[in-house]
Amino acid sequence: MRIVLIGAPGSGKGTQAKKLAAKYGIPQISTGDLLRAAVAAQTPLGLQAKAAMDAGQLVSDSIVLGMMEERLNDKDTQKGFILDGFPRNLPQAAALDTILNRMGRPLQSAILINVDFDLLIQRITGRRTCRPCGQMYNIYTSPPKIDDHCDLCGGTLHHRADDNEDTISNRLRVFETQTEPMVRHYQIQGKLTVIDGSDDINRIFIRLCKAIEQSTLSNLEIARLKKTLNDSPPKVETFEKTTKLEQKAKELLDITETNPEVPPLQSSSDAIKEATTMAVKKKARKSAAKKKVVKKKTTAKKKAVRKKSAKKKAVKKKSAKKKAVKKKVVKKKGRKKKSVKKKAVKKKTAKKKGTRKKKTAKKKVAKKKTAKKKARKKKAKAK
Ligand code: AMP
């Protein structure tokens, strides 16, 4: 089984390629993965590829073709392979034809996974990959159970550096301009099948398997039937059987020849513009949300400061009131003390006055008494 999977970034070709590889026991060869590994390992090839990848542009054909030819010579590709993300343009497709024909193993089928642009954007921005085990997630449509951690191995999920809004529109534009002519190339060769990739992963997979089996097996069967017809022209006794085979061969040929009416790839300039506007809008929404949060935080801070100062003021007022009350009480006490003192002094003076009065009265009485005594004595003398 020798298959090429074609699709815009975010079409799910990587996910489907992994599932196909597991089902048919053949390797998935992704140029994106190979290039990312080279960048991570900082090999000379990786260093050369990095700038183009970061900008969302295609890496030069010479790098990619050299890498692919080497990989296709590996033993594990003998039974077949699924190419994911390669070829990406017409020269790469032509070079692949040459390499495979030279090996005597021509390509059997090219499958285009067609996805709406809005959905592509959502898939790309939400895409997360587990670095240790390669499991893929989408935070919008198939999030992990625990944020940022793989359900299978617990590894940390990774957001690809080129899956950001700035690079996405570039990558989609590249797909439109470079990959679309390549799709026509496979259509002309009669090897193209187009499937709808906007469905659920498992339903897309079933559709994909059907398309692959139909295209690869029918090609084999057609070859076998053609050979049978050429080698042994129909004899009378085998006429019926052969006619049936011939009919079957015709049917199969009809399928492959009339096969796909390629729907206009939705990667029109309008769609690109729309995607870019969406990305810009999203960015604006994000920054507005950020601003809102900052505003909220500052108002909350201001409120807290106001509350604090109001509290301080209230406390000050309270303590001032308390002080005033204390002062009043002290004053009252002072006044009370003073009046008590005054009263005591008054009492004392009154007492003093009383004793003095009493004394003078007593003196007066004594004086009167002595005067009376004197008078009585005088009277007695006179007598
Ligand atoms: P992918 O993982 O397939 O989306 O690829 C990520 C990036 O790797 C692309 O944006 C390109 O920069 C680079 N790349 C992958 N495959 C190819 C290829 N066949 N030709 C040129 N560049 C490629």
Side-chain angles (χ1 to χ4, degrees):
M1 208 171 260
R2 297 177 296 278
I3 300 153
V4 162
L5 273 192
I6 309 164
S11 60
K13 60 183 184 321
T15 309
Q16 296 297 340
K18 278 194 181 74
K19 282 171 85 73
L20 288 175
K23 178 171 173 165
Y24 295 112
I26 50 178
Q28 167 218 8
I29 304 174
S30 152
T31 35
D33 285 349
L34 292 174
L35 287 167
R36 273 185 290 279
V39 171
Q42 296 191 325
T43 63
L45 187 147
L47 293 175
Q48 262 178 289
K50 191 178 181 318
M53 289 175 82
D54 285 347
Q57 297 293 347
L58 288 188
V59 172
S60 79
D61 288 348
S62 59
I63 292 182
V64 177
L65 285 170
M67 199 171 72
M68 273 317 281
E69 188 158 14
E70 206 181 306
R71 180 67 184 91
L72 285 169
N73 271 311
D74 286 346
K75 252 196 176 162
D76 65 339
T77 63
Q78 288 297 325
K79 261 174 71 186
F81 48 77
I82 297 150
L83 301 187
D84 157 17
F86 178 88
R88 280 278 230 284
N89 56 24
L90 203 48
Q92 287 184 13
L96 178 67
D97 283 349
T98 312
I99 296 169
L100 292 180
N101 288 336
R102 206 168 45 216
M103 289 176 171
R105 297 185 288 157
L107 192 76
Q108 290 173 300
S109 179
I111 299 181
L112 169 67
I113 304 178
N114 204 37
V115 178
D116 218 63
F117 260 70
D118 287 350
L119 193 56
L120 286 179
I121 299 276
Q122 194 198 43
R123 282 188 183 168
I124 299 172
T125 49
R127 185 153 64 180
R128 300 289 183 275
T129 317
C130 173
R131 262 198 173 137
C133 78
Q135 180 66 21
M136 293 174 94
Y137 297 87
N138 188 293
I139 55 167
Y140 304 118
T141 52
S142 51
K145 282 179 192 136
I146 301 166
D147 272 359
D148 296 329
H149 289 283
C150 178
D151 291 350
L152 302 183
C153 72
T156 309
L157 300 188
H158 167 69
H159 189 196
R160 262 172 59 173
D162 60 346
D163 275 353
N164 63 66
E165 283 153 21
D166 298 329
T167 327
I168 288 168
S169 49
N170 231 351
R171 287 163 64 203
L172 293 176
R173 205 186 306 275
V174 165
F175 179 77
E176 179 195 37
T177 53
Q178 312 239 17
T179 312
E180 209 171 357
M182 184 194 83
V183 171
R184 305 283 168 215
H185 167 79
Y186 288 123
Q187 190 183 21
I188 292 164
Q189 287 190 349
K191 289 182 180 168
L192 184 73
T193 309
V194 184
I195 65 160
D196 176 20
S198 49
D199 212 341
D200 152 89
I201 290 177
N202 291 324
R203 273 200 290 269
I204 298 170
F205 185 61
I206 292 170
R207 225 173 282 150
L208 191 57
C209 291
K210 261 189 198 162
I212 288 173
E213 278 159 24
Q214 200 179 26
S215 58
T216 54
L217 297 182
S218 63
N219 282 343
L220 282 176
E221 206 170 343
I222 288 162
R224 190 175 60 79
L225 290 171
K226 267 185 179 172
K227 196 171 181 299
T228 316
L229 285 172
N230 288 339
D231 290 353
S232 48
K235 287 176 197 156
V236 179
E237 62 269 29
T238 55
F239 180 75
E240 206 184 320
K241 196 179 162 196
T242 319
T243 329
K244 268 187 186 164
L245 281 174
E246 200 177 9
Q247 208 173 338
K248 175 89 174 147
K250 244 187 127 217
E251 267 173 35
L252 291 167
L253 280 166
D254 279 350
I255 291 171
T256 37
E257 271 157 21
T258 53
N259 196 16
E261 250 303 296
V262 183
L265 294 180
Q266 294 185 2
S267 45
S268 65
S269 307
D270 280 351
I272 290 276
K273 259 185 217 160
E274 206 182 307
T276 317
T277 325
M278 264 184 66
V280 170
K281 270 186 187 167
K282 204 176 172 192
K283 218 177 187 178
R285 265 202 307 268
K286 251 189 187 174
S287 72
K290 243 187 201 172
K291 265 185 194 166
K292 226 179 179 179
V293 171
V294 172
K295 211 177 173 184
K296 247 186 181 176
K297 269 186 186 169
T298 31
T299 29
K301 250 186 190 172
K302 271 184 187 171
K303 256 188 186 173
V305 170
R306 253 185 264 148
K307 229 181 178 178
K308 225 179 177 178
S309 67
K311 226 179 182 179
K312 252 186 185 174
K313 266 185 190 171
V315 171
K316 251 187 187 175
K317 236 183 181 178
K318 234 182 181 178
S319 66
K321 240 184 186 175
K322 261 187 188 173
K323 263 185 189 171
V325 169
K326 250 188 197 173
K327 232 182 183 177
K328 236 180 180 177
V329 173
V330 171
K331 231 179 182 178
K332 239 184 183 177
K333 269 186 186 172
R335 253 185 276 139
K336 242 186 189 175
K337 247 185 185 174
K338 250 186 189 173
S339 69
V340 170
K341 243 184 188 174
K342 261 185 188 173
K343 266 183 190 173
V345 170
K346 254 187 191 173
K347 235 181 181 178
K348 234 179 177 177
T349 26
K351 222 178 177 179
K352 259 186 187 171
K353 265 185 184 173
T355 24
R356 229 185 278 153
K357 254 184 184 177
K358 264 183 188 173
K359 265 185 183 173
T360 39
K362 258 185 185 175
K363 266 182 187 174
K364 261 183 186 177
V365 171
K367 250 185 190 175
K368 257 184 185 176
K369 252 184 183 178
T370 39
K372 257 183 186 178
K373 247 182 186 177
K374 262 181 185 177
R376 249 184 278 143
K377 260 181 189 176
K378 241 181 186 180
K379 245 184 189 180
K381 251 181 192 179
K383 267 179 190 179

